[in-house]
Amino acid sequence: MKSLPFIDLIIVIAYLAGMVAVGIYFSRKNTNAEQFTKASGRIPGWAIGISIYATFLSSNTFLGVPGKAFGSNWSSFVFSLSMPLAAWVATKFFIPFYRSTGEVSAYTHLEHRFGSWARTYAVACFLLTQLARMGSIFFGIALSLQALTGYPMSTIMVVVGICIVLYTVMGGMEAVIWTEVVQGVIKTIGALVILYLVVSGVSGGMPSIIEIGKANDKFSLGTLAPDFTTASFWVILLYGFFMNLNNFGMDQNYVQRYHTTSSAKEAAGSVWLCVYLYVPVSLIFFLLGTCLFAYYQGNPELLQTIKMQVAAEKLPGGTSDAITSLAATLTPADYGDKVMPHFMVNKVPVGLLGLIIAAIMSAAMSTISSGMNASATVFSVDIYQKYIKSDLTPQQSLRLLYIATTVFGLLGMITGIAMIGVKSVLDVWWMLSGIFAGGMLGLFLLGMISKSTRNTEALTATIIGIVVIVWMTFSSQLPDTYSYLRNPLHQNMIMVVGTLTIFLAGVLLTRLRRKQPVEKEVLLHSK
């Protein structure tokens, strides 16, 4: 990071060294697989709560949310408003269920309920979701640090990825949790510092920001009309509820943490602590996006610099006239993700810049490290020990977890490199997670709620759900001749419709099966 001032460089190096040191410290305790995956159930509930909060508060939030608020409005904040209801369902039903089973994998019970295919399907969906999540977060951090350091995005991903792999592999779940506690604090402080600097730079302060925001409809939570074809209030609310239900209810990242506390009560308390922290802090990031919009409205020459940068990236090798023409056509949604990195490069004073970079790294590292650990756990328990070799010694189990953690970290890094050039980090993550998580959550709810549903009905319902999800995802690519076959709903509805399709189809098929014997008996009596 040669372009950084020396004091900021020292802060960043000290932060990275500190994270690796935590991994080295906890590596002494990792003598078996249970310690690596569950931290032997000795972590206090408040630490788990901050850890879950830090996982939610990824670089997608740190960079994507201000960029989204800058480019449009606060409609995505409705996602946060859906969290309390999803948390209530999780603490009332899911946490007691997982604690009673004692299974470290969130998907083992699906095999007990419907057979091995259900477990394998859920595991595949989870691992794909994790790759999408880790990739989008690697991309998000590289997007920002490229502006701050001048290094290529791929190089940044490799350097940060190596540090994450080191402390996650060495320290296991306990290192993941305690580093996330530190990271949660650092990135919250970083957000507040940036907010203060932006507000201070706007002539007229917060009153002026509110006035500009109102004039440009920046505080809108989306239309309240029953419109499911755009990112309306109801679309985001439904998507947020189902996605948060998936997160709290069956995402291995969170389910694994429920086993690291000493009781179900502490596990439930950790979920509510996450909600109490995340909802107001996510609001700060939306406010930050609006403040940045007001700041750049008052500094059009800086805004022009950003537009030219984005236009140059879209037209590599283009003439200056072509780049200038393209820059004139760009909208705030086209360059929203570039605004906060630009502000940090030009307006954050020496000393604080190192803290901000550490905060951005924290936002990425907390989510990626937990994703690596959870993915390795699922691969070990649900794939390797089930299909390849079940009778592993403690040393073999631990070695497998080390290797799997490293591999998933590298795969996440490669996915991030493949995302270079996308328009919006937040949009990409929401779309991919909705596709992969929809079917998984639908099958899970079918197994928990419909007690009489059997293997055949569940498999048929899942196939129907997958067909619907594939159609909703890819029908927009159909030629104009077949435009009537395109999905008319907003892409965030894929998660909602996919989940409901599997659940309702399974319930309907179960009722039809139960009805058939009765009808046969009536026919026999009538004869």
Side-chain angles (χ1 to χ4, degrees):
M1 296 188 176
K2 56 189 177 183
S3 62
L4 287 177
F6 181 73
I7 187 170
D8 294 309
L9 179 62
I10 293 299
I11 292 171
V12 172
I13 292 174
Y15 167 74
L16 291 174
M19 294 299 100
V20 175
V22 171
I24 294 172
Y25 174 78
F26 285 111
S27 65
R28 300 173 300 172
K29 298 183 178 182
N30 282 322
T31 56
N32 56 64
E34 184 180 10
Q35 171 64 31
F36 189 91
T37 58
K38 294 185 180 180
S40 297
R42 297 180 311 219
I43 308 296
W46 64 265
I48 302 299
I50 297 176
S51 164
I52 297 174
Y53 156 73
T55 299
F56 261 100
L57 193 63
S58 66
S59 59
N60 288 347
T61 305
F62 208 100
L63 298 167
V65 166
K68 192 74 175 170
F70 181 98
S72 56
N73 52 37
W74 286 15
S75 61
S76 298
F77 179 62
V78 179
F79 178 92
S80 301
L81 297 179
S82 71
M83 285 183 72
L85 181 57
W88 180 83
V89 175
T91 54
K92 180 100 174 149
F93 301 104
F94 295 150
I95 290 178
F97 171 76
Y98 285 122
R99 293 285 303 194
S100 65
T101 64
E103 297 283 357
V104 68
S105 168
Y107 315 114
T108 305
H109 79 281
L110 284 175
E111 180 174 11
H112 302 324
R113 188 71 181 79
F114 297 128
S116 59
W117 71 267
R119 180 180 181 180
T120 303
Y121 169 70
V123 166
C125 287
F126 170 76
L127 293 178
L128 288 170
T129 304
Q130 289 311 297
L131 287 179
R133 172 184 279 163
M134 289 190 286
S136 64
I137 291 167
F138 266 118
F139 170 73
I141 186 175
L143 185 70
S144 178
L145 296 186
Q146 179 193 40
L148 296 170
T149 66
Y151 287 132
M153 292 174 69
S154 55
T155 303
I156 293 167
M157 291 187 211
V158 170
V159 172
V160 174
I162 289 172
C163 291
I164 300 172
V165 168
L166 281 174
Y167 80 75
T168 307
V169 169
M170 290 188 295
M173 178 53 81
E174 197 162 2
V176 168
I177 290 171
W178 287 113
T179 52
E180 284 184 335
V181 170
V182 175
Q183 290 162 347
V185 173
I186 290 175
K187 53 193 169 186
T188 304
I189 294 173
L192 293 172
V193 169
I194 297 174
L195 181 64
Y196 171 77
L197 292 172
V198 177
V199 174
S200 300
V202 176
S203 177
M206 190 56 74
S208 178
I209 291 170
I210 293 173
E211 185 179 333
I212 294 172
K214 283 182 178 179
N216 291 273
D217 199 30
K218 290 297 174 183
F219 299 112
S220 171
L221 294 179
T223 175
L224 292 176
D227 179 8
F228 298 98
T229 63
T230 62
S232 66
F233 178 91
W234 304 111
V235 166
I236 304 300
L237 186 68
L238 284 169
Y239 172 83
F241 173 71
F242 279 91
M243 182 53 69
N244 283 316
L245 196 61
N246 178 76
N247 289 336
F248 289 134
M250 64 171 307
D251 189 316
Q252 182 68 25
N253 280 295
Y254 307 95
V255 172
Q256 198 165 329
R257 286 171 170 80
Y258 302 156
H259 295 287
T260 62
T261 60
S262 58
S263 67
K265 184 179 179 181
E266 284 224 1
S270 68
V271 170
W272 282 114
L273 178 58
C274 166
V275 173
Y276 298 148
L277 289 172
Y278 184 81
V279 173
V281 171
S282 67
L283 181 60
I284 290 174
F285 283 98
F286 281 98
L287 178 60
L288 179 55
T290 303
C291 291
L292 285 166
F293 182 85
Y295 177 85
Y296 281 93
Q297 286 288 102
N299 294 275
E301 71 286 353
L302 296 178
L303 194 59
Q304 182 61 26
T305 302
I306 296 174
K307 288 182 179 180
M308 292 294 289
Q309 177 193 342
V310 174
E313 290 176 1
K314 289 179 178 289
L315 286 176
T319 64
S320 58
D321 288 342
I323 292 172
T324 303
S325 298
L326 178 60
T329 66
L330 296 177
T331 65
D334 294 317
Y335 51 82
D337 282 347
K338 299 285 188 181
V339 172
M340 195 158 86
H342 180 271
F343 180 85
M344 289 188 289
V345 169
N346 293 281
K347 300 300 174 181
V348 175
V350 174
L352 283 178
L353 185 56
L355 173 65
I356 301 302
I357 293 176
I360 295 170
M361 286 183 169
S362 295
M365 295 170 86
S366 57
T367 309
I368 293 172
S369 62
S370 61
M372 288 166 54
N373 188 282
S375 298
T377 301
V378 166
F379 175 81
S380 173
V381 174
D382 295 303
I383 296 179
Y384 192 90
Q385 294 183 50
K386 178 172 175 54
Y387 294 109
I388 301 174
K389 186 178 181 182
S390 59
D391 55 337
L392 296 177
T393 65
Q395 291 76 20
Q396 288 173 330
S397 295
L398 196 57
R399 191 180 306 117
L400 173 63
L401 286 166
Y402 287 156
I403 295 171
T405 303
T406 304
V407 169
F408 280 108
L410 295 175
L411 288 175
M413 190 191 311
I414 292 169
T415 305
I417 293 172
M419 287 184 179
I420 292 175
V422 301
K423 182 176 177 181
S424 170
V425 180
L426 197 64
D427 283 345
V428 168
W429 160 235
W430 278 20
M431 181 187 73
L432 292 176
S433 61
I435 293 168
F436 298 135
M440 182 168 57
L441 179 61
L443 181 61
F444 181 82
L445 293 176
L446 182 64
M448 281 200 73
I449 297 172
S450 182
K451 301 296 184 184
S452 55
T453 299
R454 295 177 182 173
N455 181 15
T456 305
E457 292 96 46
L459 178 57
T460 306
T462 302
I463 292 172
I464 294 171
I466 292 173
V467 170
V468 170
I469 289 171
V470 169
W471 166 69
M472 293 186 71
T473 303
F474 299 107
S475 62
S476 61
Q477 306 300 317
L478 290 171
D480 291 340
T481 312
Y482 302 100
S483 59
Y484 60 92
L485 293 176
R486 291 173 183 167
N487 166 32
L489 302 177
H490 189 268
Q491 65 180 23
N492 287 346
M493 289 299 292
I494 297 173
M495 170 76 175
V496 178
V497 175
T499 300
L500 292 176
T501 298
I502 292 177
F503 175 74
L504 294 176
V507 170
L508 179 61
L509 290 169
T510 302
R511 289 190 175 181
L512 290 174
R513 170 184 52 83
R514 294 170 66 182
K515 191 177 178 182
Q516 285 176 353
V518 176
E519 291 176 346
K520 287 179 182 179
E521 190 175 338
V522 170
L523 286 171
L524 287 172
H525 282 300
S526 65
K527 289 179 181 179

